[in-house]
């Protein structure tokens, strides 16, 4: 305690020592200004209220000592005498040698990176990431037209060599730093779709403007009209997404990716794939992916593409209108999940049911197995204690963010909700202000190693010493609102602002 008190007095006296701050005499002090001064050999902060030129000056003086609170003391200057006189609490005191400027520290308001658009963006198109054998990897046809497409394209389901590609969206003219990655997987019932559909272009630019590296990928599409073939189409999409993510991690330096912060999002089939990517392991492979009389063995999840020795850990996912075949696989990884889903979705069930009932109607059991939609998925996540958020939407359409070829009004809500949900994993240990349990004037940030820039501001008191991670504060007893505020930047560029009241 004694050591702390000595440290405090040393720091406080620094305010009154000569230095680069401007020194004023009694005649040059200004109205509404703050000064430090020694009065009766003790340090004070003087707040000048009113100056009546050549007559009187009225101020309030606050003693700076080892107390947590300081009382206001009236401080008066009488210029009318040949030699000005000063009074503290009505008693004549010696005129200070100098009044030194005291500028109360003020916080800086930083842009809310990862929550608000900050950057202009650019896109690098058609970056190849894997060579595969499949039917096709792009078909720009609305998902609700799949029934017609199946009949038309039934003869085109012939395997050929494909080069899978991705589009990468990046902040433009930004400082060189590692950034979180969001990988997007488009929908289309594993039969149609493309990485450059308008909602994925919009989402790619949006998250890049927040400060992410965003990759939108293509993957193998198409299947023959058989239950096992459809299930295999879902599995190869997982293999391709796994290969894409390994490619991005292997090239993290080239694309300014921070591999410690990986997020995945997708809608419909992309939502299914995002869930499988986060939770499925090789022990959970569907039976149809193994060798049989009808099919060849598709191999393990990581058997497509290069960089097979590269590993990754996903921070959180956003499967929009997603579902899983095996709900037990959720136990494999504790990964946060954010979902939107229509409660009357006719393509992928909100609850537990057959998919694609709008398209194949009563034939659904012949082509599909029942799937666990977002409602049971999130119920299981809650039971497991994972961080999760499900936003159910009371509509009877699928993927309402892209209805009738137009981005739906709900789209901004969805992408901002994703950003807010992911932010909790970008900032797992938010900055907070703590008060020293022994020396009450000291306030500090405990996790200073996680921040780059810190600014401080005090309302209803005085900061008597300021450093990167701590301040010393004396509170005014006459203040009605006492707040200590800090703002700054985490090392990943995200902004923070927090306060405590006294």
């Amino acid at each position: 305690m004694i050591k702390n008190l000595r440290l405090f007095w040393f720091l406080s006296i620094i305010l009154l020592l000569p230095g680069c701050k401007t020194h004023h005499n009694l005649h040059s002090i200004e109205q509404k200004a703050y000064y430090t001064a020694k009065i009766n050999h003790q340090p004070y902060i003087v707040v000048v209220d009113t100056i009546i030129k050549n007559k009187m000056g009225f101020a309030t003086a606050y003693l700076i000592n080892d107390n947590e609170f300081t009382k206001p003391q009236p401080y008066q200057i009488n210029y009318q005498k040949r030699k000005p006189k000063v009074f503290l609490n009505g008693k004549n005191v010696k005129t200070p040698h100098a009044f030194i400027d005291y500028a109360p520290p003020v916080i800086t308001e930083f842009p809310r990176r990862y929550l608000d658009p900050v950057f202009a963006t650019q896109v690098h198109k058609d970056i190849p990431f894997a060579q595969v054998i499949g039917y096709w990897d792009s078909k720009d046809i609305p998902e609700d037209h799949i029934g017609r497409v199946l009949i038309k394209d039934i003869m085109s389901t012939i395997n050929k060599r494909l080069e899978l590609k991705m589009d990468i969206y990046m902040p433009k003219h930004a400082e060189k730093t590692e950034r979180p990655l969001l990988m997007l997987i488009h929908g289309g019932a594993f039969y149609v779709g493309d990485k450059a559909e308008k909602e994925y272009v919009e989402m790619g630019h949006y998250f890049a403007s927040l400060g992410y590296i965003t990759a939108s990928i293509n993957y193998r599409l198409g299947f023959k009209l058989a239950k096992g073939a459809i299930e295999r189409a879902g599995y190869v999409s997982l293999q391709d997404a796994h290969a894409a993510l390994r490619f991005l991690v292997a090239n993290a330096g080239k694309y300014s990716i921070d591999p410690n912060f990986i997020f995945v999002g997708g809608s419909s089939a992309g939502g299914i794939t995002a869930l499988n990517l986060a939770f499925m392991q090789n022990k959970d492979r569907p039976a149809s992916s193994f060798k049989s009389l009808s099919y060849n063995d598709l191999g393990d999840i990581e058997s497509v593409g290069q960089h097979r020795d590269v590993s990754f850990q996903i921070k959180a996912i956003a499967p929009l209108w997603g579902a899983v075949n095996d709900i037990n696989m959720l136990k494999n990884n504790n990964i946060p999940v954010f979902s939107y889903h229509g409660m009357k979705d006719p393509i992928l069930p909100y609850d537990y049911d057959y998919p694609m009932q709008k398209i194949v109607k009563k034939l659904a059991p012949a082509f599909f197995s029942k799937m666990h939609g977002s409602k049971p998925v999130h119920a299981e996540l809650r039971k497991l204690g994972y961080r999760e958020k499900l936003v159910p939407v009371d509509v009877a359409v699928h993927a309402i963010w892209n209805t009738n070829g137009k981005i739906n009004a709900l789209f901004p809500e969805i992408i901002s909700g994703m950003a807010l949900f992911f932010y909790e994993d970008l900032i797992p240990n938010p900055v907070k202000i703590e008060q020293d349990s022994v020396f009450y004037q000291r306030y500090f940030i405990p996790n200073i190693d996680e921040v780059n820039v810190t600014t401080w501001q005090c309302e209803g008191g005085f900061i008597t010493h300021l450093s990167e991670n701590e301040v010393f504060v004396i509170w005014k007893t006459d203040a009605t609102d006492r707040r200590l505020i800090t703002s700054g930047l985490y090392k990943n560029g995200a902004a923070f602002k927090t306060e405590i009241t006294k």
Side-chain angles (χ1 to χ4, degrees):
M1 179 67 176
I2 294 174
K3 183 178 179 181
N4 282 339
L5 288 175
R6 287 175 177 171
L7 173 64
F8 166 76
W9 279 107
F10 170 74
L11 296 172
S12 297
I13 292 170
I14 288 177
L15 291 170
L16 306 179
L17 293 176
C20 61
K21 296 179 181 180
T22 302
H23 291 52
H24 301 265
N25 60 32
L26 204 58
H27 293 280
S28 64
I29 61 175
E30 298 178 354
Q31 190 169 291
K32 306 300 181 185
Y34 289 72
Y35 302 96
T36 62
K38 275 191 176 181
I39 304 174
N40 288 347
H41 306 292
Q42 290 184 299
Y44 279 80
I45 291 179
V46 178
V47 182
V48 180
D49 302 314
T50 306
I51 297 289
I52 303 174
K53 194 170 183 180
N54 300 322
K55 292 184 179 181
M56 301 289 291
F58 299 92
T60 305
Y62 295 90
L63 177 63
I64 305 301
N65 58 14
D66 60 346
N67 292 320
E68 185 180 6
F69 292 88
T70 181
K71 296 180 180 180
Q73 301 180 53
Y75 189 72
Q76 184 176 335
I77 306 166
N78 188 334
Y79 292 102
Q80 298 181 69
K81 304 292 184 180
R82 178 176 296 179
K83 184 178 180 181
K85 290 188 175 183
V86 295
F87 300 87
L88 182 68
N89 288 323
K91 296 180 178 179
N92 185 213
V93 294
K94 186 177 180 181
T95 302
H97 292 295
F99 291 85
I100 305 172
D101 288 334
Y102 171 79
V106 178
I107 61 166
T108 301
E109 295 282 356
F110 294 94
R112 299 198 312 164
R113 184 181 296 188
Y114 308 124
L115 290 176
D116 296 331
V118 174
F119 302 101
T121 61
Q122 58 187 342
V123 58
H124 303 281
K125 295 184 178 181
D126 296 325
I127 298 169
F129 67 88
Q131 299 278 344
V132 294
I133 300 297
Y135 301 134
W136 56 83
D137 64 338
S138 175
K139 194 177 288 288
D140 190 12
I141 297 170
E143 194 166 6
D144 56 3
H145 293 173
I146 290 175
R148 282 175 276 169
V149 176
L150 279 169
I151 302 301
K152 179 183 176 183
D153 290 351
I154 195 67
M155 298 305 297
S156 66
T157 50
I158 300 173
N159 279 318
K160 49 186 169 291
R161 183 169 294 277
L162 303 172
E163 185 176 60
L164 300 179
K165 298 176 181 178
M166 64 174 68
D167 295 338
I168 298 181
Y169 300 81
M170 307 178 71
K172 192 176 183 181
H173 304 310
E175 73 277 12
K176 185 71 173 177
T177 184
E178 290 186 337
R179 301 181 181 280
L181 168 69
L182 171 61
M183 190 174 81
L184 299 174
I185 311 169
H186 69 78
F190 304 112
Y191 205 86
V192 300
D194 186 78
K195 59 182 171 58
E197 290 175 351
K198 64 181 68 177
E199 64 268 33
Y200 292 95
V201 172
E202 184 83 9
M203 195 184 298
H205 283 295
Y206 173 76
F207 277 93
S209 77
L210 301 186
Y212 286 78
I213 305 300
T214 312
S216 181
I217 70 167
N218 273 347
Y219 54 92
R220 281 173 286 179
L221 302 170
F223 49 79
K224 296 180 180 179
L225 284 176
K227 195 170 189 176
I230 296 171
E231 191 175 64
R232 285 166 69 87
Y235 182 70
V236 298
S237 76
L238 165 62
Q239 290 180 314
D240 296 348
H242 201 281
L245 203 43
R246 295 197 316 270
F247 169 85
L248 289 162
V249 172
N251 290 277
K254 180 177 180 179
Y255 297 111
S256 301
I257 292 168
D258 185 344
N260 296 306
F261 294 97
I262 296 173
F263 303 89
V264 179
S267 175
S268 187
I272 294 172
T273 304
L275 283 161
N276 288 336
L277 185 61
F279 296 107
M280 185 182 287
Q281 297 178 358
N282 283 315
K283 65 182 177 62
D284 310 306
R285 282 177 55 181
S288 62
S289 69
F290 293 93
K291 183 177 178 58
S292 67
L293 292 175
S294 303
Y295 302 114
N296 64 312
D297 193 325
L298 291 173
D300 286 342
I301 294 170
E302 60 275 4
S303 61
V304 169
Q306 298 180 338
H307 313 293
R308 297 185 187 182
D309 58 335
V310 171
S311 62
F312 56 80
Q313 180 61 50
I314 297 171
K315 280 289 186 182
I317 63 172
L320 310 172
W321 294 271
V324 297
N325 289 103
D326 181 8
I327 203 165
N328 291 315
M329 72 179 186
L330 299 177
K331 298 175 183 177
N332 290 336
N333 294 308
N334 185 347
I335 295 177
V337 180
F338 174 83
S339 300
Y340 264 72
H341 207 133
M343 292 186 289
K344 303 170 186 175
D345 188 338
I347 293 181
L348 279 180
Y350 174 68
D351 207 328
Y352 179 64
D353 208 340
Y354 292 102
M356 305 295 287
Q357 293 191 42
K358 179 182 178 182
I359 295 172
V360 297
K361 299 181 171 48
K362 294 182 180 180
L363 294 176
F367 296 106
F368 303 100
S369 300
K370 283 189 174 182
M371 299 191 77
H372 302 268
S374 295
K375 181 181 177 181
V377 164
H378 281 264
E380 181 68 14
L381 294 170
R382 284 191 294 275
K383 188 167 70 173
L384 292 168
Y386 300 175
R387 188 170 72 88
E388 54 79 32
K389 182 177 181 180
L390 168 61
V391 182
V393 187
D394 189 15
V395 293
V397 293
H398 183 66
I400 60 173
W401 63 332
N402 185 24
T403 304
N404 298 324
K406 298 180 180 178
I407 294 176
N408 189 276
L410 191 60
F411 181 71
E413 177 186 320
I414 293 172
I415 58 176
S416 62
M418 288 172 60
L420 191 61
F421 189 82
F422 293 160
Y423 193 78
E424 293 190 38
D425 288 288
L426 283 171
I427 313 299
N429 187 19
V431 162
K432 60 180 179 179
I433 302 171
E434 293 188 5
Q435 184 177 17
D436 195 306
S437 60
V438 176
F439 187 55
Y440 296 143
Q441 288 189 359
R442 178 176 175 263
Y443 296 84
F444 62 96
I445 295 173
N447 54 327
I448 188 61
D449 291 341
E450 298 177 25
V451 303
N452 261 349
V453 180
T454 309
T455 64
W456 295 85
Q457 182 172 321
C458 182
E459 298 175 4
F462 302 105
I463 292 177
T464 61
H465 172 69
L466 174 70
S467 69
E468 185 177 357
N469 70 320
E470 68 179 9
V471 290
F472 289 76
V473 176
I474 296 183
W475 300 103
K476 298 191 294 184
T477 59
D478 58 330
T480 57
D481 182 21
R482 303 187 191 99
R483 297 192 301 161
L484 179 62
I485 310 165
T486 185
S487 68
L489 295 174
Y490 294 97
K491 288 190 175 178
N492 65 6
F496 66 83
K497 181 180 178 182
T498 189
E499 65 179 62
I500 60 170
T501 58
K502 192 69 179 178

